[in-house]
Amino acid sequence: MTLLHRLLFGTPAARAEADAEGASAVTRSRAVDADEKEARRVAILDAAARLFDASGELSNVADIAHAAGLAKGTVYLYFPTKEAVYLALHQRQLDAFFVELCERLSAPGSFSVSDMAEMARAHFLRDRGYMPLCAFCMGFAADAVPESVWCEFHDGLGRHLMTAGAGIERRWPHLAPGEGLRLLKHSYALMVGLFHLIGEHSGHGHRAKTARPALTGIGSYEDEALIALFRYWTAVVGADATPLPMRDQLSRSS
């Protein structure tokens, strides 16, 4: 007996059983649809990441769609502009960093300034596309991304900063409330500022092709960013044991 036949003509018990099966089928269908939507969204972001890594430029929606194996109109169902695609890609980078940071801050055991510096190295400095993409996203025109998309991005970043900032204050309880959040914001501003100052001249990322000369007496972006971060954090939260590679970098910069 079919599901429809049981619903229309079956006994009360049969109709109840059929109704439950129908509800279950709808739930399964919706879950599959949600999974497929997320898979397409991930495919779009992965394609955009590959194109950016290859060219150092923001590809247009048609190229992103082709690289993802989707129709151009499908990409627009998920992202209203190409800038929205790359803002979401930058959000994915930030999510990965803050998820790991919050896990590290909440886990038992020690967490030092050196650990924080190594996390910055792994996520921001060794990924040669991170800072160039960040620079692009910070330079978007106001109307390049819908206000709702900007609000979603800033809300997500704000939640990450609040959670991680509170974790930092638990690790270093002598910090006043709000100082953990301030430390993170200042650290990020420091890294972005250094990238604009020297990153594009030091072979870091795609902007190394600029014709402007490098600054005299300054090291690579990675070295200078690590030194600046380490000095700032130790000044704010207190010194800890400096690992040998960091001591070498600090001595070279002196």
Side-chain angles (χ1 to χ4, degrees), residues 16-215:
E17 181 182 359
D19 186 61
E21 288 183 20
S24 177
V26 170
T27 300
R28 288 196 302 272
S29 176
R30 287 176 179 170
V32 169
D33 288 345
D35 290 343
E36 289 176 352
K37 287 180 179 180
E38 180 59 20
R40 285 184 177 180
R41 187 177 188 277
V42 169
I44 293 167
L45 295 180
D46 287 346
R50 292 194 301 272
L51 293 171
F52 185 77
D53 287 343
S55 69
E57 302 292 339
L58 305 184
S59 298
N60 59 45
V61 171
D63 289 340
I64 295 171
H66 179 74
L70 300 170
K72 181 178 176 181
T74 302
V75 175
Y76 281 121
L77 292 175
Y78 293 85
F79 301 100
T81 64
K82 74 174 184 182
E83 289 84 1
V85 175
Y86 284 98
L87 187 65
L89 184 59
H90 184 44
Q91 178 69 64
R92 189 168 73 171
Q93 294 173 325
L94 288 169
D95 288 344
F97 168 74
F98 278 107
V99 166
E100 182 180 344
L101 176 59
C102 291
E103 288 177 351
R104 295 281 300 276
L105 290 170
S106 300
S110 64
F111 185 83
S112 67
V113 173
S114 299
D115 294 325
M116 186 68 219
E118 287 303 319
M119 279 198 63
R121 187 205 301 265
H123 284 269
F124 303 141
L125 307 179
R126 289 288 172 84
D127 180 350
R128 306 189 77 77
Y130 183 94
M131 279 299 169
L133 179 58
C134 172
F136 271 114
C137 290
M138 293 182 67
F140 287 160
D143 59 351
V145 178
E147 183 179 359
S148 60
V149 176
W150 274 121
C151 289
E152 183 179 355
F153 173 81
H154 285 293
D155 287 348
L157 179 57
R159 287 191 295 271
H160 282 317
L161 287 168
M162 292 291 290
T163 302
I168 288 170
E169 290 164 20
R170 287 193 299 271
R171 286 287 181 171
W172 289 282
H174 63 281
L175 294 177
E179 286 303 304
L181 173 60
R182 179 175 284 112
L183 180 60
L184 288 170
K185 290 194 295 184
H186 288 180
S187 299
Y188 199 63
L190 185 155
M191 285 192 297
V192 172
L194 277 173
F195 176 77
H196 282 290
L197 182 66
I198 63 172
E200 58 188 273
H201 311 297
S202 65
H204 185 90
H206 304 285
R207 292 190 158 194
K209 59 189 176 184
T210 181
R212 286 192 293 156
L215 298 176

Side-chain angles (χ1 to χ4, degrees), residues 194 198 216-231 242 244-254:
L194 277 173
I198 63 172
T216 302
I218 199 163
S220 70
Y221 171 68
E222 181 176 336
D223 284 353
E224 295 296 333
L226 281 175
I227 291 167
L229 282 173
F230 195 86
R231 286 174 170 170
T242 307
L244 182 60
M246 186 68 69
R247 286 205 302 271
D248 291 343
Q249 288 175 349
L250 290 171
S251 64
R252 289 200 303 270
S253 70
S254 300

